[in-house]
Amino acid sequence: MSAPAAVRRGEAGPRERPRPEGGRDVPAEERRGGVGHGDEWDELVAAALVGADRRGAAGAREVLERAAVLAVRRRAGRLARRVRAPGEAAPAERGRPAGAAAARRLRALLDGAPLGGRRILEEWVRAAASRELVVPGWALPEMLDLGAADRSLRRHVAVVAGRRGRWLAGLNPAWAWLLDEEGEGTGSWETGGRGDRRALLRRLRASDPARARETLASTWDRETAEDRAAFLAVLAESPGPGDEALLEHALDDRRREVRQAAADLLTRLPGADLGRRMAERALRCLRVEDGRLVAEPPRECDQAMERDGVRRRPPPGVGERGWWLEQTIARTPLDVWAGRLGATPEEIAGLPADVWGGFVRAGWVRAAILRRDAAWARALLGREPSGDLLALLPHGEAMERAARLVGGRPLDGELIMLLGALPGPWTGPLPAAVLDKIVTTSRHQPWNLSELCGLAAERFDPATGLGEHAGRPIDDLRALAETLRFRHEMLKELA
């Protein structure tokens, strides 16, 4: 496959391709390329809508013939640009190819099957990436389009696209995002691309954390804001006390996303100075009087607070002082409260509170999530049911608690949001509780089932059947069973 022949899609089709980060705008004439875009296609659509005779066409046969020709030209892509010499051929692929059955399954997913096809397609990509499989060449354009549209899938798409995908991405600015994803890490720290440098930093962190920090610090002030944020994401995988000096330096960064990422990491570091500073502020804000929480939120958000990660401007509809209080509590080490209030997390979470109590508890929830503290998650779940808190618990315990919540609550938006934050696979008693909820709701609110069935189709362990509900004549259950069978076969093919 040579370079001119490989640019088969470019900006093909009627959709506007997104501009790549750091890439150039694609000229309109390059997007159209004379392959069935623009006026000719619009004329045919109009003829089909209002009638060929009224548009001056000879008849329906001519309209269909012209449409067929244009459709083939559109699928072929855009006209290749004139080149003086053939481009570099695609490199040999080193990755293990997905098998024939897995490739056929991928084709079916790209064509829109089954229920929840987009979510199942994402599962296929993640599962294939976890096994370091690469997709067939025909699937590369659609995989690169998928990554362009969904940032959360990019690192997985980068794996399944393999070496040929990176080569192809270099030929189309709309796919240039792939070149920033981690590759084989063959470049040097000084000259490598963004993805290669992240791979180098991750490997160095695993083998020699001190050297990794020194390497990163040596070029930190010369890095772009995007690169600084990307490198902090690598540090976030395994932060340690030795990172504190670099992270404190990052608190003064000119870009807010870099400052926030640094503050989040420092919040997770036991004994960090940021935690001590936030504790001093928080202890001035909260006390217990006559067995209830009494809060006195900050009256201003000064420059020092902003540097430590407190954002001055609240979200719409939230008061400033409550917003500052919540963030101050969130960045305070949780063990501070046991010492100050002389109680366990369960006792503290259960204390009645004044009018600021909602902000205080929201801060504790955020603190538990940032620190991944299961003890505080248990304590807060009784007052603040949350999928994010459930996800902090051991898997079996999370499934049991979620099953009780499903059984004891109506099927509404809050329950869907709670379950939506709970990652799969759903096992233990939770699938049975969800199936009971589907059956019960189908009797009086069948129109309210689509989101719950979509989550179940995506997050049930596909090896789990529908049990006693398998034979029920409920359309949503039939579709759920079909999707679970599809996923079960899909994962077997990938294995």
Side-chain angles (χ1 to χ4, degrees):
M1 185 157 73
S2 64
V7 193
R8 79 168 183 87
R9 286 186 52 162
E11 274 63 43
R15 298 173 297 168
E16 180 77 12
R17 300 291 187 197
R19 182 183 178 184
E21 295 178 17
R24 64 181 179 88
D25 284 316
V26 182
E29 62 272 15
E30 201 173 304
R31 289 197 301 270
R32 290 192 298 270
V35 287
H37 295 272
D39 295 341
E40 189 175 4
W41 183 260
D42 293 340
E43 180 185 340
L44 280 176
V45 171
L49 289 174
V50 305
D53 293 338
R54 294 175 59 187
R55 297 291 297 186
R61 182 186 180 97
E62 179 184 333
V63 170
L64 291 175
E65 287 177 346
R66 289 173 59 198
V69 171
L70 288 175
V72 171
R73 290 168 63 188
R74 288 171 61 142
R75 292 184 66 185
R78 56 187 167 93
L79 291 178
R81 292 170 294 188
R82 292 184 179 181
V83 294
R84 295 182 178 178
E88 182 181 352
E93 186 57 72
R94 295 176 181 172
R96 183 163 60 96
R104 286 194 296 271
R105 185 79 56 177
L106 175 60
R107 180 71 272 165
L109 286 166
L110 291 171
D111 288 341
L115 170 72
R118 173 56 186 262
R119 292 193 294 267
I120 310 305
L121 171 60
E122 293 171 3
E123 183 180 18
W124 190 101
V125 173
R126 289 187 173 98
S130 71
R131 295 162 173 81
E132 298 185 340
L133 301 176
V134 294
V135 299
W138 57 258
L140 284 174
E142 288 170 291
M143 288 292 102
L144 298 183
D145 281 348
L146 187 65
D150 188 342
R151 285 176 175 272
S152 69
L153 284 177
R154 288 184 175 182
R155 65 186 179 92
H156 306 288
V157 171
V159 175
V160 301
R163 302 180 79 209
R164 291 177 302 167
R166 295 182 74 82
W167 169 85
L168 190 58
L171 301 174
N172 181 1
W175 298 330
W177 63 265
L178 183 61
L179 304 179
D180 288 335
E181 292 300 307
E182 290 187 27
E184 298 172 342
T186 54
S188 71
W189 180 254
E190 294 291 342
T191 63
R194 182 179 298 169
D196 286 330
R197 296 175 78 214
R198 283 211 310 276
L200 287 168
L201 181 62
R202 180 171 284 108
R203 287 206 297 267
L204 198 53
R205 287 275 289 183
S207 61
D208 191 344
R211 186 182 165 205
R213 282 191 296 271
E214 292 170 4
T215 300
L216 181 54
S218 69
T219 61
W220 179 266
D221 292 329
R222 303 196 305 271
E223 304 291 352
T224 66
E226 291 77 13
D227 282 340
R228 292 195 298 274
F231 294 143
L232 287 182
V234 175
L235 299 189
E237 296 170 4
S238 56
D243 299 333
E244 185 173 3
L246 178 61
L247 295 174
E248 280 282 344
H249 178 62
L251 290 179
D252 297 313
D253 200 274
R254 62 182 178 274
R255 290 290 290 269
R256 187 178 70 182
E257 59 267 34
V258 176
R259 297 194 303 271
Q260 287 289 312
D264 286 349
L265 280 173
L266 285 166
T267 299
R268 291 171 55 188
L269 289 183
D273 278 349
L274 183 139
R276 176 187 53 76
R277 296 192 296 267
M278 298 305 295
E280 291 175 356
R281 298 180 180 110
L283 291 174
R284 293 194 294 267
C285 294
L286 190 63
R287 63 186 184 277
V288 175
E289 287 184 2
D290 299 326
R292 60 196 296 268
L293 292 170
V294 177
E296 179 64 31
R299 294 194 173 275
E300 64 173 343
C301 180
D302 58 29
Q303 192 172 16
M305 289 174 65
E306 282 196 273
R307 182 181 183 274
D308 283 345
V310 177
R311 295 171 64 176
R312 182 188 299 271
R313 183 175 298 178
V318 178
E320 286 184 336
R321 295 185 68 199
W323 174 238
W324 300 335
L325 174 64
E326 177 181 328
Q327 294 177 89
T328 301
I329 298 289
R331 297 201 181 282
T332 298
L334 286 165
D335 56 11
V336 165
W337 303 111
R340 173 62 181 264
L341 305 180
T344 66
E346 288 79 7
E347 293 168 339
I348 294 170
L351 287 171
D354 63 10
V355 294
W356 302 103
F359 293 102
V360 172
R361 290 196 174 88
W364 281 334
V365 168
R366 178 63 179 156
I369 293 169
L370 277 171
R371 293 169 178 80
R372 302 170 188 175
D373 192 309
W376 271 86
R378 290 188 190 94
L380 293 164
L381 273 167
R383 306 280 302 201
E384 305 284 344
S386 159
D388 291 322
L389 291 176
L390 281 173
L392 299 176
L393 303 179
H395 185 76
E397 182 181 353
M399 295 298 105
E400 291 177 4
R401 283 179 173 262
R404 291 199 296 270
L405 287 169
V406 169
R409 297 171 63 99
L411 179 55
D412 55 16
E414 288 188 7
L415 182 60
I416 292 296
M417 286 180 62
L418 186 149
L419 291 174
L422 188 62
W426 292 352
T427 57
L430 182 54
V434 170
L435 289 171
D436 285 340
K437 183 66 69 177
I438 291 172
V439 171
T440 302
T441 306
S442 70
R443 296 171 185 152
H444 53 86
Q445 288 180 304
W447 61 87
N448 208 24
L449 286 174
S450 60
E451 289 185 279
L452 181 60
C453 288
L455 284 172
E458 174 190 357
R459 301 190 188 179
F460 276 17
D461 182 342
T464 303
L466 300 188
E468 62 184 274
H469 300 303
R472 289 182 178 269
I474 301 174
D475 290 341
D476 291 289
L477 287 180
R478 294 193 189 99
L480 174 56
E482 178 185 344
T483 302
L484 291 177
R485 282 194 296 271
F486 187 98
R487 290 179 57 221
H488 184 58
E489 294 166 359
M490 176 184 82
L491 294 176
K492 283 199 303 183
E493 292 160 358
L494 288 169

Short mmCIF file of all heavy atoms in Angstrom, two decimals, residues 300-332:
data_model
loop_
_atom_site.label_atom_id
_atom_site.label_comp_id
_atom_site.label_asym_id
_atom_site.label_seq_id
_atom_site.Cartn_x
_atom_site.Cartn_y
_atom_site.Cartn_z
N GLU A 300 -13.39 35.15 51.49
CA GLU A 300 -12.75 35.52 50.23
C GLU A 300 -11.92 34.34 49.74
O GLU A 300 -11.57 33.44 50.51
CB GLU A 300 -11.87 36.76 50.40
CG GLU A 300 -10.69 36.54 51.34
CD GLU A 300 -9.74 37.73 51.34
OE1 GLU A 300 -9.83 38.55 50.42
OE2 GLU A 300 -8.92 37.81 52.27
N CYS A 301 -11.62 34.36 48.47
CA CYS A 301 -10.71 33.37 47.88
C CYS A 301 -9.46 34.13 47.45
O CYS A 301 -9.44 34.77 46.40
CB CYS A 301 -11.37 32.67 46.69
SG CYS A 301 -10.33 31.43 45.89
N ASP A 302 -8.43 34.10 48.31
CA ASP A 302 -7.24 34.89 48.02
C ASP A 302 -6.32 34.16 47.06
O ASP A 302 -6.57 33.02 46.65
CB ASP A 302 -6.52 35.26 49.32
CG ASP A 302 -6.11 34.04 50.14
OD1 ASP A 302 -5.87 32.96 49.54
OD2 ASP A 302 -6.00 34.16 51.38
N GLN A 303 -5.24 34.83 46.72
CA GLN A 303 -4.32 34.28 45.71
C GLN A 303 -3.69 32.97 46.17
O GLN A 303 -3.49 32.05 45.37
CB GLN A 303 -3.23 35.32 45.41
CG GLN A 303 -2.39 34.99 44.19
CD GLN A 303 -1.46 36.12 43.82
OE1 GLN A 303 -1.22 37.03 44.61
NE2 GLN A 303 -0.93 36.07 42.61
N ALA A 304 -3.41 32.86 47.48
CA ALA A 304 -2.81 31.64 48.00
C ALA A 304 -3.78 30.46 47.88
O ALA A 304 -3.37 29.33 47.57
CB ALA A 304 -2.39 31.84 49.45
N MET A 305 -5.06 30.70 48.14
CA MET A 305 -6.06 29.64 47.98
C MET A 305 -6.15 29.20 46.53
O MET A 305 -6.23 28.00 46.23
CB MET A 305 -7.42 30.10 48.50
CG MET A 305 -7.50 30.24 50.01
SD MET A 305 -9.07 30.96 50.55
CE MET A 305 -10.24 29.70 50.06
N GLU A 306 -6.18 30.17 45.63
CA GLU A 306 -6.25 29.82 44.21
C GLU A 306 -5.04 28.99 43.80
O GLU A 306 -5.16 28.04 43.02
CB GLU A 306 -6.34 31.08 43.36
CG GLU A 306 -7.72 31.70 43.34
CD GLU A 306 -7.88 32.69 42.20
OE1 GLU A 306 -7.53 33.87 42.39
OE2 GLU A 306 -8.36 32.27 41.12
N ARG A 307 -3.87 29.35 44.28
CA ARG A 307 -2.66 28.59 43.94
C ARG A 307 -2.78 27.15 44.41
O ARG A 307 -2.28 26.23 43.75
CB ARG A 307 -1.43 29.25 44.57
CG ARG A 307 -0.12 28.53 44.23
CD ARG A 307 1.07 29.19 44.89
NE ARG A 307 2.31 28.54 44.50
CZ ARG A 307 2.82 27.46 45.10
NH1 ARG A 307 2.19 26.92 46.14
NH2 ARG A 307 3.95 26.92 44.66
N ASP A 308 -3.46 26.93 45.54
CA ASP A 308 -3.59 25.58 46.08
C ASP A 308 -4.76 24.81 45.47
O ASP A 308 -5.11 23.73 45.97
CB ASP A 308 -3.73 25.63 47.60
CG ASP A 308 -2.39 25.90 48.30
OD1 ASP A 308 -1.35 25.77 47.63
OD2 ASP A 308 -2.40 26.23 49.49
N GLY A 309 -5.36 25.34 44.42
CA GLY A 309 -6.37 24.57 43.68
C GLY A 309 -7.80 24.96 43.94
O GLY A 309 -8.71 24.32 43.42
N VAL A 310 -8.07 26.01 44.74
CA VAL A 310 -9.44 26.47 44.97
C VAL A 310 -9.82 27.42 43.82
O VAL A 310 -9.17 28.45 43.64
CB VAL A 310 -9.56 27.19 46.33
CG1 VAL A 310 -10.99 27.72 46.51
CG2 VAL A 310 -9.20 26.23 47.46
N ARG A 311 -10.82 27.07 43.10
CA ARG A 311 -11.25 27.89 41.97
C ARG A 311 -12.19 28.98 42.46
O ARG A 311 -13.15 28.72 43.18
CB ARG A 311 -11.92 27.01 40.92
CG ARG A 311 -10.95 26.01 40.30
CD ARG A 311 -11.63 25.00 39.42
NE ARG A 311 -12.27 25.60 38.26
CZ ARG A 311 -12.85 24.90 37.30
NH1 ARG A 311 -12.87 23.57 37.37
NH2 ARG A 311 -13.42 25.49 36.27
N ARG A 312 -11.90 30.19 42.04
CA ARG A 312 -12.63 31.35 42.56
C ARG A 312 -14.08 31.38 42.07
O ARG A 312 -15.00 31.63 42.83
CB ARG A 312 -11.91 32.63 42.13
CG ARG A 312 -12.58 33.90 42.67
CD ARG A 312 -11.94 35.15 42.06
NE ARG A 312 -10.54 35.24 42.41
CZ ARG A 312 -10.07 35.84 43.50
NH1 ARG A 312 -10.92 36.41 44.35
NH2 ARG A 312 -8.77 35.90 43.73
N ARG A 313 -14.29 31.14 40.79
CA ARG A 313 -15.62 31.30 40.21
C ARG A 313 -16.43 30.01 40.35
O ARG A 313 -16.01 28.95 39.88
CB ARG A 313 -15.50 31.68 38.74
CG ARG A 313 -16.85 31.93 38.06
CD ARG A 313 -16.65 32.42 36.64
NE ARG A 313 -15.92 33.70 36.62
CZ ARG A 313 -15.59 34.33 35.50
NH1 ARG A 313 -15.89 33.79 34.33
NH2 ARG A 313 -14.94 35.46 35.56
N PRO A 314 -17.61 30.07 40.99
CA PRO A 314 -18.42 28.86 41.18
C PRO A 314 -19.19 28.49 39.92
O PRO A 314 -19.36 29.32 39.01
CB PRO A 314 -19.37 29.26 42.31
CG PRO A 314 -19.55 30.74 42.13
CD PRO A 314 -18.23 31.26 41.62
N PRO A 315 -19.70 27.26 39.85
CA PRO A 315 -20.60 26.90 38.75
C PRO A 315 -21.88 27.71 38.82
O PRO A 315 -22.21 28.27 39.87
CB PRO A 315 -20.86 25.40 38.99
CG PRO A 315 -19.81 24.96 39.96
CD PRO A 315 -19.44 26.15 40.77
N PRO A 316 -22.62 27.79 37.73
CA PRO A 316 -23.89 28.53 37.74
C PRO A 316 -24.83 28.00 38.83
O PRO A 316 -24.98 26.80 39.02
CB PRO A 316 -24.47 28.28 36.35
CG PRO A 316 -23.28 27.97 35.49
CD PRO A 316 -22.32 27.25 36.39
N GLY A 317 -25.43 28.93 39.56
CA GLY A 317 -26.40 28.56 40.58
C GLY A 317 -25.81 28.20 41.93
O GLY A 317 -26.55 27.82 42.84
N VAL A 318 -24.49 28.27 42.08
CA VAL A 318 -23.83 27.93 43.34
C VAL A 318 -23.22 29.20 43.92
O VAL A 318 -22.55 29.96 43.21
CB VAL A 318 -22.73 26.87 43.12
CG1 VAL A 318 -22.01 26.56 44.44
CG2 VAL A 318 -23.33 25.60 42.53
N GLY A 319 -23.44 29.42 45.21
CA GLY A 319 -22.89 30.59 45.86
C GLY A 319 -21.38 30.50 46.03
O GLY A 319 -20.82 29.41 46.18
N GLU A 320 -20.71 31.65 46.04
CA GLU A 320 -19.25 31.68 46.13
C GLU A 320 -18.74 31.04 47.41
O GLU A 320 -17.85 30.19 47.38
CB GLU A 320 -18.76 33.12 46.04
CG GLU A 320 -18.82 33.73 44.66
CD GLU A 320 -18.21 35.12 44.63
OE1 GLU A 320 -18.17 35.78 45.70
OE2 GLU A 320 -17.78 35.55 43.54
N ARG A 321 -19.29 31.45 48.55
CA ARG A 321 -18.72 31.00 49.83
C ARG A 321 -18.90 29.48 50.01
O ARG A 321 -17.98 28.79 50.47
CB ARG A 321 -19.35 31.76 50.99
CG ARG A 321 -19.03 33.26 50.99
CD ARG A 321 -19.57 33.93 52.23
NE ARG A 321 -18.86 33.49 53.41
CZ ARG A 321 -19.32 33.62 54.66
NH1 ARG A 321 -20.53 34.16 54.86
NH2 ARG A 321 -18.61 33.21 55.69
N GLY A 322 -20.05 28.97 49.64
CA GLY A 322 -20.25 27.52 49.72
C GLY A 322 -19.29 26.77 48.80
O GLY A 322 -18.77 25.71 49.15
N TRP A 323 -19.06 27.32 47.60
CA TRP A 323 -18.14 26.72 46.64
C TRP A 323 -16.72 26.69 47.19
O TRP A 323 -16.02 25.69 47.08
CB TRP A 323 -18.24 27.49 45.35
CG TRP A 323 -17.29 27.16 44.25
CD1 TRP A 323 -16.41 27.98 43.64
CD2 TRP A 323 -17.14 25.89 43.58
NE1 TRP A 323 -15.71 27.34 42.65
CE2 TRP A 323 -16.15 26.05 42.59
CE3 TRP A 323 -17.76 24.65 43.73
CZ2 TRP A 323 -15.75 25.00 41.76
CZ3 TRP A 323 -17.36 23.61 42.89
CH2 TRP A 323 -16.37 23.78 41.92
N TRP A 324 -16.29 27.78 47.81
CA TRP A 324 -14.94 27.83 48.39
C TRP A 324 -14.82 26.86 49.56
O TRP A 324 -13.79 26.20 49.73
CB TRP A 324 -14.62 29.26 48.84
CG TRP A 324 -14.65 30.27 47.74
CD1 TRP A 324 -14.47 30.03 46.41
CD2 TRP A 324 -14.92 31.67 47.86
NE1 TRP A 324 -14.59 31.19 45.69
CE2 TRP A 324 -14.85 32.22 46.55
CE3 TRP A 324 -15.18 32.51 48.94
CZ2 TRP A 324 -15.07 33.57 46.31
CZ3 TRP A 324 -15.40 33.86 48.70
CH2 TRP A 324 -15.34 34.37 47.40
N LEU A 325 -15.89 26.76 50.37
CA LEU A 325 -15.88 25.83 51.50
C LEU A 325 -15.75 24.39 51.02
O LEU A 325 -14.94 23.61 51.53
CB LEU A 325 -17.17 25.99 52.31
CG LEU A 325 -17.39 24.99 53.46
CD1 LEU A 325 -16.31 25.15 54.53
CD2 LEU A 325 -18.79 25.15 54.05
N GLU A 326 -16.54 24.03 50.02
CA GLU A 326 -16.51 22.66 49.49
C GLU A 326 -15.11 22.29 48.98
O GLU A 326 -14.59 21.20 49.28
CB GLU A 326 -17.53 22.53 48.36
CG GLU A 326 -17.53 21.16 47.69
CD GLU A 326 -18.53 21.08 46.55
OE1 GLU A 326 -19.57 21.76 46.62
OE2 GLU A 326 -18.25 20.34 45.58
N GLN A 327 -14.48 23.18 48.24
CA GLN A 327 -13.15 22.89 47.70
C GLN A 327 -12.10 22.82 48.80
O GLN A 327 -11.17 22.01 48.73
CB GLN A 327 -12.77 23.96 46.68
CG GLN A 327 -13.63 23.97 45.43
CD GLN A 327 -13.23 25.10 44.51
OE1 GLN A 327 -12.36 24.94 43.66
NE2 GLN A 327 -13.85 26.25 44.70
N THR A 328 -12.23 23.66 49.81
CA THR A 328 -11.29 23.63 50.93
C THR A 328 -11.37 22.30 51.67
O THR A 328 -10.36 21.68 51.99
CB THR A 328 -11.56 24.80 51.89
OG1 THR A 328 -11.43 26.03 51.19
CG2 THR A 328 -10.59 24.79 53.06
N ILE A 329 -12.61 21.85 51.93
CA ILE A 329 -12.81 20.55 52.59
C ILE A 329 -12.26 19.42 51.70
O ILE A 329 -11.61 18.48 52.18
CB ILE A 329 -14.31 20.31 52.86
CG1 ILE A 329 -14.86 21.37 53.81
CG2 ILE A 329 -14.55 18.91 53.40
CD1 ILE A 329 -14.42 21.28 55.22
N ALA A 330 -12.48 19.53 50.39
CA ALA A 330 -12.08 18.45 49.47
C ALA A 330 -10.57 18.26 49.45
O ALA A 330 -10.09 17.14 49.23
CB ALA A 330 -12.59 18.74 48.06
N ARG A 331 -9.80 19.31 49.65
CA ARG A 331 -8.34 19.20 49.57
C ARG A 331 -7.69 19.06 50.93
O ARG A 331 -6.47 19.12 51.04
CB ARG A 331 -7.78 20.42 48.82
CG ARG A 331 -8.26 20.49 47.38
CD ARG A 331 -7.36 21.33 46.51
NE ARG A 331 -7.84 21.41 45.14
CZ ARG A 331 -7.69 20.46 44.24
NH1 ARG A 331 -7.05 19.34 44.56
NH2 ARG A 331 -8.15 20.61 43.01
N THR A 332 -8.49 18.85 51.96
CA THR A 332 -7.97 18.64 53.32
C THR A 332 -7.84 17.15 53.59
O THR A 332 -8.78 16.39 53.32
CB THR A 332 -8.91 19.28 54.35
OG1 THR A 332 -8.97 20.70 54.11
CG2 THR A 332 -8.42 19.04 55.76
#
